[in-house]
Amino acid sequence: MATAYPETLTDALLQKYNTTGPRYTSYPTAPVWTETFDANAYTQVLTDTKAQGVAAGPLSLYVHIPFCEARCLFCGCNVVVTPQKEQAEKYLGYLFREMDHIAGLLDTSRRVVQYHWGGGTPTYLSPEQMRRVFEHHTSVFNLDPDAEIAIEVDPRVTTDEQLQLLRELGFNRLSMGVQDFSEQVQETVNRIQPIGMTEHMVDYSRQLGFGSINIDLIYGLPHQTLESFTNTVRQVIRLSPDRIALYNFAYLPWLSPYHKLLPADAIPEADIKFAIFRMAMQHLTEAGYVYIGMDHFAKPDDELAVALNEGRLFRNFMGYTVQHSRPNEPDSEMIGVGVSSISGLANHFAQNVKKLSDYYELIDANQLPTHRGYALSHDDRLRRQVILDILCQGQVDIPAIERAFAIDFREYFADAIAKLDEPTQDGLIGWSDCGYQLTTTGRILSRNVAMAFDAYLPAAQASDKPMFSKTV
Ligand SMILES: C[S@@+](CC[C@H](N)C(=O)[O-])C[C@H]1O[C@@H](n2cnc3c(N)ncnc32)[C@H](O)[C@@H]1O
């Protein structure tokens, strides 16, 4: 499904649909979760799931390493910036205790089909620490021989020795932060990363045999111009990564205090951002990349593009991913460990505390470091499925949803369907007897279509506390 750049994607349309909205790495989204779902509730859910044994399906494990050596001013992630490396050793001690606690509540013979290290900067750890984390987890869990084993790396702090070790351990995917090659932008956001450094990391990773390499870019950063970002996109195409994530800068100065240090008047206006987005879309698709969905592009032979064609695309806290369960097996459940990490089970979400001191304190008290969570109702599960279908398959099969959830779709979703009148007139959606399908333009604005089915959004939009970033 190679997506040619759609001529119908005009500036006027981008302007019209440039509202604030969630990115739907979960539904309901995190602001809806509550502290009433606590460590006891999470323990109970894990215990109940353990009783199902391997019938509960495969597992995805996410490990959060929060440390970074320096602060990138655009960053909206949960990070601990410290040059004091001894902090990592203390953290690992607690991480292992949390992992052992969780493992005791799970059936560890369930296949682990995805194993991800994210951050922060996981390569903040020394090679010896990285080996220990990997061996600790693989000695406890049942890592599938075909598992996707991925890590986020920062080319500025990742050494050749670390890359060799990662390959030796079995990591097969790398995601590297680049954001922008313009020196002026790099200086402004406090992230100096010469192109030669990124190029070496891509070349060396490929030489070592990493199966899929991703590059992260951000558009909308201060001092970016259409010309400068065109150069960045051309350089990235030359490096030829398997995947490209093109994130819209989530500028949230009310949430991320370091965003206040950025020169607000140098942040590109909406018209420049639209021009940058259109240029990137055009250059990447002309270079042969397939538009996967919100922010993501991949080469046609990459697993993500193949999964898109085969209807196996899935979305979770790590963005787009491939559903790794076997036929007739439930979708994988994600268990996150580490400070601030998120777990997504079949019908529940749980998130760990965000402060390191709270994380240590709770583990010292032999508790799971759960901060908040959520139990999904029937309505939540139904809406989650519709939203996932919109974002991953670009279509909703109404009879299939009606069968799975025992509803009359048109009656149940009369309000949501009414909200789709305008996007339909604007050419985002095509309807048939079986349901509706997003057009190429609609897939680019899929977040706006999904928002029609979000039961919690009207209350969030009515609140005077801004929660979400711009959709374009
Ligand atoms: C968790 S970060 C880790 C990457 C790694 N530490 C590095 O710096 O190379 C993952 C990605 O999130 C994206 N990101 C972080 N803050 C963002 C923001 N405010 N808006 C949009 N994207 C953001 C960046 O593209 C970044 O590479």
Side-chain angles (χ1 to χ4, degrees), residues 25 114 148 243 291-296 304 308 313-322 388 390-393 443 446:
T25 50
Q114 261 187 320
E148 172 188 312
R243 297 178 185 180
Y291 177 68
I292 300 296
M294 200 192 302
D295 316 323
H296 290 271
L304 270 190
L308 173 68
L313 203 60
F314 189 63
R315 191 168 167 80
N316 62 21
F317 304 109
M318 279 158 329
Y320 283 102
T321 174
V322 173
L388 274 176
I390 292 168
L391 300 179
C392 299
Q393 321 309 339
R443 289 190 53 236
S446 58

PDB file of all heavy atoms in Angstrom, residues 25 114 148 243 291-296 304 308 313-322 388 390-393 443 446:
ATOM      1  N   THR A  25      -1.763   6.260  21.805  1.00  0.00           N
ATOM      2  CA  THR A  25      -0.923   5.085  22.048  1.00  0.00           C
ATOM      3  C   THR A  25      -1.662   4.202  23.059  1.00  0.00           C
ATOM      4  O   THR A  25      -1.208   3.102  23.361  1.00  0.00           O
ATOM      5  CB  THR A  25       0.468   5.481  22.565  1.00  0.00           C
ATOM      6  OG1 THR A  25       0.312   6.384  23.645  1.00  0.00           O
ATOM      7  CG2 THR A  25       1.297   6.124  21.470  1.00  0.00           C
ATOM      8  N   GLN A 114       8.235  -9.452  22.182  1.00  0.00           N
ATOM      9  CA  GLN A 114       8.824  -8.123  21.995  1.00  0.00           C
ATOM     10  C   GLN A 114       9.561  -7.769  23.265  1.00  0.00           C
ATOM     11  O   GLN A 114       9.004  -7.915  24.357  1.00  0.00           O
ATOM     12  CB  GLN A 114       7.712  -7.083  21.854  1.00  0.00           C
ATOM     13  CG  GLN A 114       7.382  -6.670  20.476  1.00  0.00           C
ATOM     14  CD  GLN A 114       6.392  -5.506  20.505  1.00  0.00           C
ATOM     15  OE1 GLN A 114       5.470  -5.484  21.325  1.00  0.00           O
ATOM     16  NE2 GLN A 114       6.585  -4.553  19.653  1.00  0.00           N
ATOM     17  N   GLU A 148      11.135  -9.627  18.601  1.00  0.00           N
ATOM     18  CA  GLU A 148      11.657  -8.323  18.179  1.00  0.00           C
ATOM     19  C   GLU A 148      12.382  -7.761  19.401  1.00  0.00           C
ATOM     20  O   GLU A 148      11.761  -7.575  20.449  1.00  0.00           O
ATOM     21  CB  GLU A 148      10.451  -7.468  17.789  1.00  0.00           C
ATOM     22  CG  GLU A 148      10.770  -6.047  17.501  1.00  0.00           C
ATOM     23  CD  GLU A 148       9.491  -5.230  17.307  1.00  0.00           C
ATOM     24  OE1 GLU A 148       8.600  -5.650  16.555  1.00  0.00           O
ATOM     25  OE2 GLU A 148       9.411  -4.163  17.940  1.00  0.00           O
ATOM     26  N   ARG A 243      13.221   2.609   8.662  1.00  0.00           N
ATOM     27  CA  ARG A 243      12.027   3.316   9.145  1.00  0.00           C
ATOM     28  C   ARG A 243      12.377   4.756   9.490  1.00  0.00           C
ATOM     29  O   ARG A 243      13.512   5.030   9.898  1.00  0.00           O
ATOM     30  CB  ARG A 243      11.486   2.677  10.438  1.00  0.00           C
ATOM     31  CG  ARG A 243      11.020   1.277  10.254  1.00  0.00           C
ATOM     32  CD  ARG A 243      10.545   0.696  11.558  1.00  0.00           C
ATOM     33  NE  ARG A 243      10.216  -0.697  11.376  1.00  0.00           N
ATOM     34  CZ  ARG A 243       9.769  -1.502  12.324  1.00  0.00           C
ATOM     35  NH1 ARG A 243       9.594  -1.040  13.548  1.00  0.00           N
ATOM     36  NH2 ARG A 243       9.494  -2.757  12.067  1.00  0.00           N
ATOM     37  N   TYR A 291       3.913   5.353   3.739  1.00  0.00           N
ATOM     38  CA  TYR A 291       3.355   6.032   4.909  1.00  0.00           C
ATOM     39  C   TYR A 291       2.585   5.000   5.728  1.00  0.00           C
ATOM     40  O   TYR A 291       1.612   4.422   5.261  1.00  0.00           O
ATOM     41  CB  TYR A 291       2.434   7.174   4.456  1.00  0.00           C
ATOM     42  CG  TYR A 291       1.755   7.880   5.597  1.00  0.00           C
ATOM     43  CD1 TYR A 291       2.488   8.649   6.495  1.00  0.00           C
ATOM     44  CD2 TYR A 291       0.388   7.768   5.801  1.00  0.00           C
ATOM     45  CE1 TYR A 291       1.876   9.283   7.561  1.00  0.00           C
ATOM     46  CE2 TYR A 291      -0.239   8.402   6.864  1.00  0.00           C
ATOM     47  CZ  TYR A 291       0.516   9.164   7.735  1.00  0.00           C
ATOM     48  OH  TYR A 291      -0.084   9.786   8.797  1.00  0.00           O
ATOM     49  N   ILE A 292       3.035   4.736   6.937  1.00  0.00           N
ATOM     50  CA  ILE A 292       2.433   3.675   7.761  1.00  0.00           C
ATOM     51  C   ILE A 292       1.208   4.208   8.501  1.00  0.00           C
ATOM     52  O   ILE A 292       0.198   3.528   8.634  1.00  0.00           O
ATOM     53  CB  ILE A 292       3.472   3.139   8.783  1.00  0.00           C
ATOM     54  CG1 ILE A 292       4.691   2.549   8.060  1.00  0.00           C
ATOM     55  CG2 ILE A 292       2.857   2.128   9.745  1.00  0.00           C
ATOM     56  CD1 ILE A 292       4.402   1.333   7.217  1.00  0.00           C
ATOM     57  N   GLY A 293       1.320   5.403   8.995  1.00  0.00           N
ATOM     58  CA  GLY A 293       0.244   5.995   9.786  1.00  0.00           C
ATOM     59  C   GLY A 293       0.887   7.104  10.585  1.00  0.00           C
ATOM     60  O   GLY A 293       2.086   7.359  10.431  1.00  0.00           O
ATOM     61  N   MET A 294       0.099   7.734  11.439  1.00  0.00           N
ATOM     62  CA  MET A 294       0.558   8.866  12.234  1.00  0.00           C
ATOM     63  C   MET A 294       2.087   8.854  12.484  1.00  0.00           C
ATOM     64  O   MET A 294       2.590   7.964  13.161  1.00  0.00           O
ATOM     65  CB  MET A 294      -0.177   8.792  13.577  1.00  0.00           C
ATOM     66  CG  MET A 294      -0.224  10.063  14.348  1.00  0.00           C
ATOM     67  SD  MET A 294      -0.792   9.705  16.020  1.00  0.00           S
ATOM     68  CE  MET A 294      -2.367   8.960  15.722  1.00  0.00           C
ATOM     69  N   ASP A 295       2.815   9.741  11.884  1.00  0.00           N
ATOM     70  CA  ASP A 295       4.257   9.981  12.077  1.00  0.00           C
ATOM     71  C   ASP A 295       5.218   8.951  11.466  1.00  0.00           C
ATOM     72  O   ASP A 295       6.428   9.164  11.516  1.00  0.00           O
ATOM     73  CB  ASP A 295       4.665  10.056  13.565  1.00  0.00           C
ATOM     74  CG  ASP A 295       3.760  10.860  14.434  1.00  0.00           C
ATOM     75  OD1 ASP A 295       3.271  11.880  13.941  1.00  0.00           O
ATOM     76  OD2 ASP A 295       3.542  10.470  15.594  1.00  0.00           O
ATOM     77  N   HIS A 296       4.741   7.827  10.993  1.00  0.00           N
ATOM     78  CA  HIS A 296       5.680   6.749  10.661  1.00  0.00           C
ATOM     79  C   HIS A 296       5.750   6.392   9.180  1.00  0.00           C
ATOM     80  O   HIS A 296       4.721   6.288   8.515  1.00  0.00           O
ATOM     81  CB  HIS A 296       5.355   5.491  11.466  1.00  0.00           C
ATOM     82  CG  HIS A 296       5.659   5.661  12.920  1.00  0.00           C
ATOM     83  ND1 HIS A 296       6.885   5.380  13.459  1.00  0.00           N
ATOM     84  CD2 HIS A 296       4.905   6.132  13.931  1.00  0.00           C
ATOM     85  CE1 HIS A 296       6.875   5.666  14.749  1.00  0.00           C
ATOM     86  NE2 HIS A 296       5.674   6.130  15.062  1.00  0.00           N
ATOM     87  N   LEU A 304       6.918  -3.426   9.155  1.00  0.00           N
ATOM     88  CA  LEU A 304       5.773  -2.536   9.417  1.00  0.00           C
ATOM     89  C   LEU A 304       4.931  -2.358   8.155  1.00  0.00           C
ATOM     90  O   LEU A 304       3.698  -2.394   8.208  1.00  0.00           O
ATOM     91  CB  LEU A 304       6.244  -1.152   9.861  1.00  0.00           C
ATOM     92  CG  LEU A 304       6.464  -0.864  11.327  1.00  0.00           C
ATOM     93  CD1 LEU A 304       6.684   0.622  11.533  1.00  0.00           C
ATOM     94  CD2 LEU A 304       5.320  -1.350  12.201  1.00  0.00           C
ATOM     95  N   LEU A 308       1.184  -3.652   7.482  1.00  0.00           N
ATOM     96  CA  LEU A 308       0.116  -2.741   7.048  1.00  0.00           C
ATOM     97  C   LEU A 308      -0.682  -3.390   5.915  1.00  0.00           C
ATOM     98  O   LEU A 308      -1.914  -3.406   5.926  1.00  0.00           O
ATOM     99  CB  LEU A 308       0.726  -1.413   6.582  1.00  0.00           C
ATOM    100  CG  LEU A 308      -0.225  -0.407   5.951  1.00  0.00           C
ATOM    101  CD1 LEU A 308      -1.201   0.145   6.979  1.00  0.00           C
ATOM    102  CD2 LEU A 308       0.535   0.756   5.311  1.00  0.00           C
ATOM    103  N   LEU A 313      -1.134  -4.624  11.544  1.00  0.00           N
ATOM    104  CA  LEU A 313      -0.513  -3.489  12.231  1.00  0.00           C
ATOM    105  C   LEU A 313      -1.218  -3.249  13.560  1.00  0.00           C
ATOM    106  O   LEU A 313      -2.427  -3.455  13.676  1.00  0.00           O
ATOM    107  CB  LEU A 313      -0.664  -2.257  11.330  1.00  0.00           C
ATOM    108  CG  LEU A 313       0.314  -1.125  11.518  1.00  0.00           C
ATOM    109  CD1 LEU A 313       1.734  -1.588  11.277  1.00  0.00           C
ATOM    110  CD2 LEU A 313      -0.023   0.004  10.531  1.00  0.00           C
ATOM    111  N   PHE A 314      -0.460  -2.806  14.558  1.00  0.00           N
ATOM    112  CA  PHE A 314      -0.996  -2.622  15.893  1.00  0.00           C
ATOM    113  C   PHE A 314      -0.377  -1.340  16.448  1.00  0.00           C
ATOM    114  O   PHE A 314       0.664  -0.894  15.969  1.00  0.00           O
ATOM    115  CB  PHE A 314      -0.594  -3.848  16.730  1.00  0.00           C
ATOM    116  CG  PHE A 314      -1.240  -3.922  18.080  1.00  0.00           C
ATOM    117  CD1 PHE A 314      -2.620  -4.046  18.196  1.00  0.00           C
ATOM    118  CD2 PHE A 314      -0.475  -3.887  19.233  1.00  0.00           C
ATOM    119  CE1 PHE A 314      -3.225  -4.128  19.442  1.00  0.00           C
ATOM    120  CE2 PHE A 314      -1.071  -3.960  20.488  1.00  0.00           C
ATOM    121  CZ  PHE A 314      -2.445  -4.083  20.583  1.00  0.00           C
ATOM    122  N   ARG A 315      -1.029  -0.753  17.423  1.00  0.00           N
ATOM    123  CA  ARG A 315      -0.473   0.480  18.000  1.00  0.00           C
ATOM    124  C   ARG A 315      -0.480   0.353  19.509  1.00  0.00           C
ATOM    125  O   ARG A 315      -1.488  -0.052  20.097  1.00  0.00           O
ATOM    126  CB  ARG A 315      -1.323   1.671  17.544  1.00  0.00           C
ATOM    127  CG  ARG A 315      -0.708   3.000  17.844  1.00  0.00           C
ATOM    128  CD  ARG A 315      -1.418   4.131  17.135  1.00  0.00           C
ATOM    129  NE  ARG A 315      -0.968   5.389  17.700  1.00  0.00           N
ATOM    130  CZ  ARG A 315       0.167   5.988  17.387  1.00  0.00           C
ATOM    131  NH1 ARG A 315       0.959   5.487  16.476  1.00  0.00           N
ATOM    132  NH2 ARG A 315       0.521   7.118  17.980  1.00  0.00           N
ATOM    133  N   ASN A 316       0.648   0.676  20.126  1.00  0.00           N
ATOM    134  CA  ASN A 316       0.693   0.685  21.591  1.00  0.00           C
ATOM    135  C   ASN A 316       1.619   1.816  22.048  1.00  0.00           C
ATOM    136  O   ASN A 316       1.900   2.727  21.263  1.00  0.00           O
ATOM    137  CB  ASN A 316       1.096  -0.692  22.141  1.00  0.00           C
ATOM    138  CG  ASN A 316       2.488  -1.119  21.703  1.00  0.00           C
ATOM    139  OD1 ASN A 316       3.313  -0.280  21.325  1.00  0.00           O
ATOM    140  ND2 ASN A 316       2.756  -2.405  21.744  1.00  0.00           N
ATOM    141  N   PHE A 317       2.088   1.724  23.287  1.00  0.00           N
ATOM    142  CA  PHE A 317       2.858   2.849  23.840  1.00  0.00           C
ATOM    143  C   PHE A 317       4.135   3.129  23.066  1.00  0.00           C
ATOM    144  O   PHE A 317       4.722   4.178  23.188  1.00  0.00           O
ATOM    145  CB  PHE A 317       3.192   2.575  25.312  1.00  0.00           C
ATOM    146  CG  PHE A 317       1.964   2.307  26.095  1.00  0.00           C
ATOM    147  CD1 PHE A 317       1.681   1.047  26.570  1.00  0.00           C
ATOM    148  CD2 PHE A 317       1.043   3.314  26.308  1.00  0.00           C
ATOM    149  CE1 PHE A 317       0.514   0.791  27.247  1.00  0.00           C
ATOM    150  CE2 PHE A 317      -0.131   3.070  26.978  1.00  0.00           C
ATOM    151  CZ  PHE A 317      -0.397   1.810  27.453  1.00  0.00           C
ATOM    152  N   MET A 318       4.581   2.159  22.275  1.00  0.00           N
ATOM    153  CA  MET A 318       5.795   2.389  21.497  1.00  0.00           C
ATOM    154  C   MET A 318       5.481   2.864  20.084  1.00  0.00           C
ATOM    155  O   MET A 318       6.333   2.852  19.227  1.00  0.00           O
ATOM    156  CB  MET A 318       6.661   1.140  21.515  1.00  0.00           C
ATOM    157  CG  MET A 318       7.431   1.121  22.810  1.00  0.00           C
ATOM    158  SD  MET A 318       8.059  -0.419  23.411  1.00  0.00           S
ATOM    159  CE  MET A 318       7.007  -1.654  22.926  1.00  0.00           C
ATOM    160  N   GLY A 319       4.240   3.236  19.830  1.00  0.00           N
ATOM    161  CA  GLY A 319       3.847   3.683  18.499  1.00  0.00           C
ATOM    162  C   GLY A 319       3.368   2.495  17.690  1.00  0.00           C
ATOM    163  O   GLY A 319       2.804   1.547  18.241  1.00  0.00           O
ATOM    164  N   TYR A 320       3.601   2.525  16.371  1.00  0.00           N
ATOM    165  CA  TYR A 320       3.149   1.416  15.539  1.00  0.00           C
ATOM    166  C   TYR A 320       4.055   0.218  15.725  1.00  0.00           C
ATOM    167  O   TYR A 320       5.268   0.351  15.857  1.00  0.00           O
ATOM    168  CB  TYR A 320       3.135   1.809  14.056  1.00  0.00           C
ATOM    169  CG  TYR A 320       1.951   2.660  13.711  1.00  0.00           C
ATOM    170  CD1 TYR A 320       2.071   4.032  13.564  1.00  0.00           C
ATOM    171  CD2 TYR A 320       0.692   2.092  13.561  1.00  0.00           C
ATOM    172  CE1 TYR A 320       0.972   4.813  13.270  1.00  0.00           C
ATOM    173  CE2 TYR A 320      -0.415   2.863  13.274  1.00  0.00           C
ATOM    174  CZ  TYR A 320      -0.267   4.222  13.122  1.00  0.00           C
ATOM    175  OH  TYR A 320      -1.365   4.987  12.845  1.00  0.00           O
ATOM    176  N   THR A 321       3.441  -0.950  15.740  1.00  0.00           N
ATOM    177  CA  THR A 321       4.205  -2.174  15.877  1.00  0.00           C
ATOM    178  C   THR A 321       3.435  -3.276  15.151  1.00  0.00           C
ATOM    179  O   THR A 321       2.355  -3.050  14.614  1.00  0.00           O
ATOM    180  CB  THR A 321       4.447  -2.476  17.382  1.00  0.00           C
ATOM    181  OG1 THR A 321       5.074  -3.749  17.490  1.00  0.00           O
ATOM    182  CG2 THR A 321       3.180  -2.497  18.183  1.00  0.00           C
ATOM    183  N   VAL A 322       4.016  -4.462  15.144  1.00  0.00           N
ATOM    184  CA  VAL A 322       3.400  -5.567  14.431  1.00  0.00           C
ATOM    185  C   VAL A 322       2.805  -6.511  15.466  1.00  0.00           C
ATOM    186  O   VAL A 322       3.428  -6.758  16.508  1.00  0.00           O
ATOM    187  CB  VAL A 322       4.486  -6.302  13.604  1.00  0.00           C
ATOM    188  CG1 VAL A 322       3.940  -7.566  12.973  1.00  0.00           C
ATOM    189  CG2 VAL A 322       5.027  -5.361  12.535  1.00  0.00           C
ATOM    190  N   LEU A 388      -8.340   1.745  17.058  1.00  0.00           N
ATOM    191  CA  LEU A 388      -7.195   0.990  16.524  1.00  0.00           C
ATOM    192  C   LEU A 388      -7.410   0.669  15.041  1.00  0.00           C
ATOM    193  O   LEU A 388      -6.475   0.759  14.242  1.00  0.00           O
ATOM    194  CB  LEU A 388      -7.011  -0.327  17.288  1.00  0.00           C
ATOM    195  CG  LEU A 388      -6.190  -0.279  18.569  1.00  0.00           C
ATOM    196  CD1 LEU A 388      -6.195  -1.642  19.241  1.00  0.00           C
ATOM    197  CD2 LEU A 388      -4.752   0.160  18.295  1.00  0.00           C
ATOM    198  N   ILE A 390      -9.110   2.395  12.885  1.00  0.00           N
ATOM    199  CA  ILE A 390      -8.922   3.634  12.110  1.00  0.00           C
ATOM    200  C   ILE A 390      -7.432   3.919  11.945  1.00  0.00           C
ATOM    201  O   ILE A 390      -6.948   4.199  10.851  1.00  0.00           O
ATOM    202  CB  ILE A 390      -9.616   4.824  12.816  1.00  0.00           C
ATOM    203  CG1 ILE A 390     -11.133   4.635  12.770  1.00  0.00           C
ATOM    204  CG2 ILE A 390      -9.201   6.152  12.204  1.00  0.00           C
ATOM    205  CD1 ILE A 390     -11.909   5.575  13.671  1.00  0.00           C
ATOM    206  N   LEU A 391      -6.677   3.833  13.052  1.00  0.00           N
ATOM    207  CA  LEU A 391      -5.266   4.229  13.011  1.00  0.00           C
ATOM    208  C   LEU A 391      -4.375   3.183  12.358  1.00  0.00           C
ATOM    209  O   LEU A 391      -3.345   3.515  11.788  1.00  0.00           O
ATOM    210  CB  LEU A 391      -4.748   4.518  14.421  1.00  0.00           C
ATOM    211  CG  LEU A 391      -5.466   5.635  15.180  1.00  0.00           C
ATOM    212  CD1 LEU A 391      -4.868   5.811  16.560  1.00  0.00           C
ATOM    213  CD2 LEU A 391      -5.382   6.949  14.413  1.00  0.00           C
ATOM    214  N   CYS A 392      -4.745   1.901  12.473  1.00  0.00           N
ATOM    215  CA  CYS A 392      -3.858   0.839  11.970  1.00  0.00           C
ATOM    216  C   CYS A 392      -4.301   0.294  10.624  1.00  0.00           C
ATOM    217  O   CYS A 392      -3.472   0.074   9.756  1.00  0.00           O
ATOM    218  CB  CYS A 392      -3.769  -0.306  12.971  1.00  0.00           C
ATOM    219  SG  CYS A 392      -3.093   0.201  14.550  1.00  0.00           S
ATOM    220  N   GLN A 393      -5.606   0.070  10.452  1.00  0.00           N
ATOM    221  CA  GLN A 393      -6.055  -0.534   9.184  1.00  0.00           C
ATOM    222  C   GLN A 393      -6.597   0.530   8.231  1.00  0.00           C
ATOM    223  O   GLN A 393      -6.825   0.235   7.060  1.00  0.00           O
ATOM    224  CB  GLN A 393      -7.159  -1.597   9.414  1.00  0.00           C
ATOM    225  CG  GLN A 393      -7.005  -2.493  10.621  1.00  0.00           C
ATOM    226  CD  GLN A 393      -5.637  -3.163  10.729  1.00  0.00           C
ATOM    227  OE1 GLN A 393      -4.912  -3.285   9.752  1.00  0.00           O
ATOM    228  NE2 GLN A 393      -5.264  -3.563  11.929  1.00  0.00           N
ATOM    229  N   ARG A 443      -6.018   9.119   5.913  1.00  0.00           N
ATOM    230  CA  ARG A 443      -5.037   8.374   6.725  1.00  0.00           C
ATOM    231  C   ARG A 443      -4.029   9.333   7.351  1.00  0.00           C
ATOM    232  O   ARG A 443      -3.547   9.111   8.454  1.00  0.00           O
ATOM    233  CB  ARG A 443      -4.343   7.302   5.884  1.00  0.00           C
ATOM    234  CG  ARG A 443      -5.304   6.143   5.560  1.00  0.00           C
ATOM    235  CD  ARG A 443      -4.599   4.968   4.935  1.00  0.00           C
ATOM    236  NE  ARG A 443      -3.480   4.525   5.718  1.00  0.00           N
ATOM    237  CZ  ARG A 443      -2.239   4.419   5.265  1.00  0.00           C
ATOM    238  NH1 ARG A 443      -1.964   4.710   4.023  1.00  0.00           N
ATOM    239  NH2 ARG A 443      -1.281   4.034   6.062  1.00  0.00           N
ATOM    240  N   SER A 446      -5.768  10.793  10.311  1.00  0.00           N
ATOM    241  CA  SER A 446      -6.525   9.716  10.973  1.00  0.00           C
ATOM    242  C   SER A 446      -6.808  10.025  12.448  1.00  0.00           C
ATOM    243  O   SER A 446      -7.829   9.611  13.001  1.00  0.00           O
ATOM    244  CB  SER A 446      -5.783   8.387  10.854  1.00  0.00           C
ATOM    245  OG  SER A 446      -4.504   8.491  11.414  1.00  0.00           O
TER     246      SER A 446
END
